Amino acid sequence: MIQQNLIKVGMADLNIATEGAVLKTTGLGSCVGLTLFDPIRKVAGMAHVMLPSSDIARETKMNLAKYADTAIPELLDRMVAAGAYIERMKAKMAGGAQMFAMSGHSDSLRIGPRNVESCIEMLHKFKIPILAQDTGGSFGRTIEFDSTNGLLSIRSVQFGIKEI
């Protein structure tokens, strides 16, 4: 998906797109690329979620985009400000891989799966349905999200390009 109007979303970042712009983020390993779309207003949003919960935040000025429990409400606020309606939003997500082999069963090392679980929990809280997801595994992904049609394109070295 090569588009002229490409909006890059960095790690622990979020943004919205309208008028045919495409949101793109790279380097999704254990991070989750969460996308939201209002199909009537054609407002798209993407968050590159690094960690499941802001309860562990240690920074003096919290980066809301870094955590699932703060990124999703912030993304919703920005999308609503752009004219979207939460009641019409649909979600898709990718990432949440388990990038390193674990010898023990420490929950703190399950960052990818915990990120996915936390995103799902937040979406349920806002009653936003998840239309599709490409999560888990042990490989990285790059995603692009089209604000004209809500198409999520997922690229990985192992599996090429997949569209959901």
Side-chain angles (χ1 to χ4, degrees):
M1 208 185 295
I2 298 173
Q3 301 286 336
Q4 285 183 312
N5 195 1
L6 189 67
I7 300 169
K8 293 187 179 176
V9 176
M11 186 179 289
D13 189 16
L14 56 82
N15 212 331
I16 65 168
T18 59
E19 299 177 7
V22 173
L23 294 157
K24 178 179 183 175
T25 195
T26 60
L28 290 174
S30 61
C31 297
V32 168
L34 175 86
T35 63
L36 297 173
F37 186 61
D38 177 336
I40 305 297
R41 296 302 282 254
K42 306 280 190 221
V43 177
M46 178 186 286
H48 185 130
V49 174
M50 275 183 69
L51 294 167
S53 173
S54 60
D55 291 344
I56 61 168
R58 299 207 193 305
E59 58 263 51
T60 50
K61 183 177 181 337
M62 186 185 302
N63 175 357
L64 296 176
K66 189 174 186 178
Y67 308 95
D69 65 331
T70 54
I72 293 170
E74 176 67 17
L75 187 58
L76 289 170
D77 286 349
R78 291 190 192 187
M79 291 178 70
V80 167
Y85 287 85
I86 293 175
E87 300 78 26
R88 291 196 300 241
M89 287 187 199
K90 311 288 185 227
K92 294 180 182 178
M93 62 182 168
Q98 182 62 49
M99 296 304 289
F100 306 102
M102 300 181 305
S103 56
H105 294 289
S106 172
D107 201 45
S108 65
L109 297 177
R110 294 182 55 251
I111 300 295
R114 287 176 48 226
N115 282 339
V116 172
E117 291 161 11
S118 190
C119 286
I120 290 170
E121 191 176 297
M122 288 303 295
L123 292 168
H124 283 278
K125 179 178 175 184
F126 288 100
K127 297 179 176 58
I128 298 172
I130 302 168
L131 296 185
Q133 61 181 324
D134 181 36
T135 56
S138 58
F139 56 92
R141 297 164 172 94
T142 292
I143 62 171
E144 294 183 6
F145 192 53
D146 191 331
S147 69
T148 56
N149 56 18
L151 185 68
L152 180 61
S153 178
I154 304 154
R155 190 172 67 243
S156 65
V157 173
Q158 292 82 348
F159 300 104
I161 298 175
K162 171 196 284 193
E163 292 182 339
I164 59 173

